[in-house]
Amino acid sequence: MTDGPRAIRLAAHALGLVALNFFLLAAYRLLFVAWFARRAAWGEVPTVVLHGLRLDLALLGLELLVLGGLTLLTRHARGRAVVGGLWVITTINATVAAVNLLFVRERNQHLWEMLFAYLAEPRDIWVALRPFLREHPLLVALVIVVLAGLVTLA
């Protein structure tokens, strides 16, 4: 296979993963509105999605900047490494979105609010997370299996 079609396939795969990240973040936002918003707020869903798109662009831009910086530091753009990095970013985004939805549903508190509140004493993070992890052992096992699967896939 020549380098031309291989590069096009790699670019298509990378753009597909970036699009998948946008889809995951938009789905996360829509689920959040469906679970926690007042019914009157359904008229504002397009505005929520549009404004959230700016945040998604900023988050993905930062993540891609880190990935690009690591690629520049190694001085080689290896296709498998770039795609693997994009899979890692996708997995992190999906995992954090799922955990945050469940965390807000259970504790009525944003995950990051809780973590930043306990930064002064990191052992307290475990104390706060332990009940959640004990009540959802299948979720924890599923996350570990999905992470392991994505690592082997990448």
Side-chain angles (χ1 to χ4, degrees):
M1 179 177 286
T2 62
D3 286 339
R6 182 186 231 172
I8 290 172
R9 236 176 12 140
L10 177 65
H13 196 168
L15 287 174
L17 285 171
V18 171
L20 177 62
N21 273 288
F22 274 116
F23 175 74
L24 284 172
L25 293 171
Y28 163 69
R29 188 164 297 99
L30 290 173
L31 275 173
F32 200 91
V33 168
W35 281 0
F36 305 113
R38 303 177 323 272
R39 290 292 172 212
W42 274 105
E44 301 170 7
V45 168
T47 305
V48 169
V49 171
L50 185 62
H51 283 40
L53 185 62
R54 290 185 327 189
L55 294 172
D56 298 344
L57 276 170
L59 174 66
L60 287 173
L62 181 62
E63 292 170 342
L64 293 173
L65 181 67
V66 168
L67 184 61
L70 290 173
T71 301
L72 287 175
L73 284 176
T74 62
R75 295 183 178 200
H76 297 287
R78 293 179 184 92
R80 295 187 84 198
V82 171
V83 170
L86 287 169
W87 272 112
V88 167
I89 289 170
T90 303
T91 304
I92 290 170
N93 287 339
T95 304
V96 168
V99 168
N100 193 47
L101 278 172
L102 292 172
F103 200 84
V104 170
R105 191 170 194 177
E106 182 175 305
R107 297 189 63 151
N108 201 22
Q109 182 182 21
H110 195 277
L111 174 67
W112 303 112
E113 264 180 70
M114 192 278 307
L115 286 176
F116 286 134
Y118 292 113
L119 275 181
E121 190 60 43
R123 284 175 279 156
D124 290 345
I125 294 172
W126 175 248
V127 171
L129 283 177
R130 190 180 313 149
F132 177 81
L133 297 175
R134 283 188 178 158
E135 288 182 25
H136 302 288
L138 292 176
L139 176 67
V140 174
L142 179 66
V143 167
I144 290 170
V145 168
V146 167
L147 287 174
L150 288 174
V151 165
T152 58
L153 182 67

